[in-house]
Amino acid sequence: QVQLQQSGPGLVKPSQTLSLTCAISGDSVSSNSAAWNWIRQSPSRGLEWLGRTYYRSYTSKWYNDYAVSVKSRITINPDTAKNQFSLQLNSVTLEDTAVYYCARAISNWYPLDYWGQGTLVTVSS
Amino acid sequence: DIQMTQSPSSVSASVGDRVTITCRASQDISSWLAWYQQKPGKAPKVLLYAASSLQSGVPSRFSGSGSGTDFTLTISSLQPEDFATYYCQQANSFPYTFGQGTKLEIK
């Protein structure tokens, strides 16, 4: 059974960096088929996919895809030693206040089948 | 980006009722659509994928249909635990995009 456990601060000051981690059990961040995603949810923006990281053994490379809306501010990194992945969102504003989720997708066209518990991140001074 | 539009935004129904929610994509997404159920304070839970494939463990009263741009989620006989918010999501192309949600309330 796959489980995703999120951790990270719930309060971030404007202009600072939001950092969250998603620890994986029951699967590997280096899986050759899965992709590891971050999604956020707010009343104003609904559910918004932010980006993903994934590994493909046929190229021995890691890949990232990011939403255009956050592309200049976001980094998603895998940590193979700890079997987890992280989200960093720079230069946050009040509009980045949301519940942030990590989630797995088994392939490009398949759903987000396992989700973390969610982390409410409030941007406030 | 592909826009996903759900209707209605909310619906009231009773236990035992049949309910249908629709989702329209702004362009052809083939059958790459998923449906999620979300309860307050919880993460979304996938119900169906590839428009009509039932996720393991999901009751058979949930069904989906459609292809191209128009899709439906049907709950054949509402149970008390089905009152929640439902979202569609396209998985045809990046970025993944979601509908705005349909809140299913008890009449």
Side-chain angles (χ1 to χ4, degrees):
Chain A
Q1 177 77 346
V2 176
Q3 291 189 326
L4 303 178
Q5 181 67 39
Q6 297 178 219
S7 60
L11 181 64
V12 182
K13 289 182 170 24
S15 79
Q16 295 195 342
T17 297
L18 180 161
S19 296
L20 296 173
T21 298
C22 183
I24 303 163
S25 58
D27 200 347
S28 169
V29 72
S30 304
S31 164
N32 195 41
S33 58
W36 304 96
N37 298 261
W38 287 99
I39 301 102
R40 67 182 177 184
Q41 185 174 29
S42 65
S44 58
R45 302 168 80 106
L47 284 161
E48 180 184 15
W49 177 84
L50 298 176
R52 65 173 184 164
T53 190
Y54 59 99
Y55 179 77
R56 292 297 175 257
S57 60
Y58 57 86
T59 57
S60 300
K61 284 184 177 180
W62 287 92
Y63 296 88
N64 290 98
D65 295 304
Y66 298 129
V68 169
S69 60
V70 294
K71 193 168 187 176
S72 63
R73 302 192 289 131
I74 190 173
T75 304
I76 297 175
N77 281 327
D79 182 341
T80 57
K82 294 183 178 179
N83 200 30
Q84 62 187 29
F85 63 109
S86 63
L87 167 69
Q88 284 195 308
L89 189 65
N90 302 326
S91 305
V92 296
T93 69
L94 301 183
E95 289 194 352
D96 294 311
T97 294
V99 177
Y100 287 75
Y101 294 100
C102 58
R104 184 189 82 162
I106 199 66
S107 82
N108 275 0
W109 297 277
Y110 284 82
L112 299 154
D113 58 354
Y114 289 96
W115 294 63
Q117 78 277 22
T119 302
L120 172 59
V121 178
T122 302
V123 179
S124 174
S125 54
Chain B
D1 297 2
I2 298 174
Q3 268 201 312
M4 307 301 293
T5 304
Q6 287 180 234
S7 61
S9 55
S10 66
V11 57
S12 295
S14 302
V15 172
D17 284 354
R18 180 184 181 91
V19 169
T20 297
I21 298 168
T22 65
C23 179
R24 175 164 286 176
S26 61
Q27 59 187 268
D28 188 343
I29 59 168
S30 186
S31 295
W32 301 116
L33 184 98
W35 288 98
Y36 299 84
Q37 176 193 68
Q38 187 178 33
K39 295 184 178 178
K42 299 292 188 182
K45 170 191 167 186
V46 61
L47 301 174
L48 295 131
Y49 62 95
S52 60
S53 295
L54 201 63
Q55 180 75 356
S56 176
V58 174
S60 59
R61 63 181 179 273
F62 291 93
S63 64
S65 65
S67 66
T69 61
D70 293 313
F71 301 86
T72 60
L73 168 69
T74 299
I75 311 171
S76 60
S77 177
L78 277 171
Q79 298 303 299
E81 61 268 29
D82 299 337
F83 292 94
T85 301
Y86 293 84
Y87 295 92
C88 60
Q89 175 237 326
Q90 65 83 15
N92 182 71
S93 62
F94 285 90
Y96 289 152
T97 47
F98 295 83
Q100 81 280 15
T102 296
K103 188 172 184 179
L104 177 52
E105 298 173 303
I106 302 173
K107 186 183 284 184

